[in-house]
Amino acid sequence: MQTFIDHARSLGARIAARDEQREWFGRLAAGQSPQALFITCSDSRVVPSLITGARPGELFELRTAGNAVPGYHADRPSGEAATIEYAVSVLRIPDIVVCGHSHCGAIGARVRGEDLGAVPAVAGWLNSQLPDDLNGLHADADTEVAAAVQRNVREQVERLRAYPCVAERLAAGQLRLHGWFYAVDTGLVLAHQPAVDAFLPL
């Protein structure tokens, strides 16, 4: 923790020391205009700005276990739904990326049928948010878990389409949806290509 504290203490001085940094952060104070909503897993190994090269203010982020997008229910608002709606309707972002990743603990637990009784909130979230066809495949190979992660990404992208704000802007041609897969061990990024229903290198 001390390294984080030291970095936080010196951040202001480092920004002030460079004209470009001062100007960039000064503009951020006036408001935000992110280029994309990036929905990904809470996993600490997945760093959206590292993957995309985004600077502060360029990505609006939503992180959940298993990069899950809850189904839309107007009568049951959630933090995830509010984040999506704000990004789409207020910030008017033009792109949404749902990014899954290799070696995902959430997907792996479902695929292997692990007992999550000791973490009931985790179990409840995964059972309610991840596709049923991931259950109990007993796949141990990284490649099989990766395939399940990619299936999950496709499912979450489809869930997004049911959000009224997303559907409206998709119909108007003002929004694009992207499904990505990030390999944490190599840095390779694959994108889902609907025409062939496959994840291919960007």
Side-chain angles (χ1 to χ4, degrees):
M1 187 66 192
Q2 189 58 47
T3 57
F4 301 151
I5 293 171
D6 293 342
H7 186 88
R9 283 176 175 159
S10 64
L11 178 61
R14 284 183 280 114
I15 290 172
R18 297 180 59 188
D19 291 342
E20 179 190 356
Q21 293 272 26
R22 283 200 310 275
E23 292 173 10
W24 182 267
F25 282 86
R27 286 195 299 271
L28 292 180
Q32 61 174 322
S33 183
Q35 298 176 25
L37 168 61
F38 200 91
I39 301 173
T40 194
C41 189
S42 304
D43 194 300
S44 64
R45 299 167 295 180
V46 181
V47 183
S49 60
L50 176 66
I51 297 169
T52 63
R55 299 177 69 183
E58 293 181 337
L59 282 183
F60 203 66
E61 296 181 24
L62 172 60
R63 302 187 69 140
T64 66
N67 48 269
V69 175
Y72 181 82
H73 301 284
D75 59 335
R76 284 185 283 147
S78 67
E80 296 84 10
T83 298
I84 293 165
E85 188 175 74
Y86 188 82
V88 172
S89 298
V90 178
L91 298 177
R92 309 293 291 179
I93 53 95
D95 292 276
I96 301 177
V97 177
V98 177
C99 183
H101 67 96
S102 67
H103 309 90
C104 181
I107 303 298
R110 283 293 294 278
V111 164
R112 291 186 291 269
E114 293 177 4
D115 179 6
L116 298 176
V119 282
V122 173
W125 173 260
L126 299 183
N127 287 335
S128 65
Q129 301 304 328
L130 300 185
D132 290 336
D133 63 359
L134 300 183
N135 284 340
L137 298 179
H138 302 290
D140 292 316
D142 290 341
T143 54
E144 294 180 14
V145 173
V149 169
Q150 292 173 7
R151 261 190 292 166
N152 180 55
V153 167
R154 293 196 301 270
E155 170 75 15
Q156 305 310 323
V157 169
E158 288 307 307
R159 281 195 190 176
L160 277 171
R161 296 181 188 278
Y163 278 64
C165 59
V166 171
E168 179 183 344
R169 291 198 55 219
L170 283 172
Q174 300 171 339
L175 183 65
R176 294 174 296 269
L177 303 181
H178 311 268
W180 286 10
F181 173 84
Y182 169 66
V184 299
D185 53 339
T186 65
L188 178 67
V189 180
L190 308 177
H192 182 243
Q193 303 297 333
V196 293
D197 193 23
F199 282 78
L200 302 174
L202 280 175

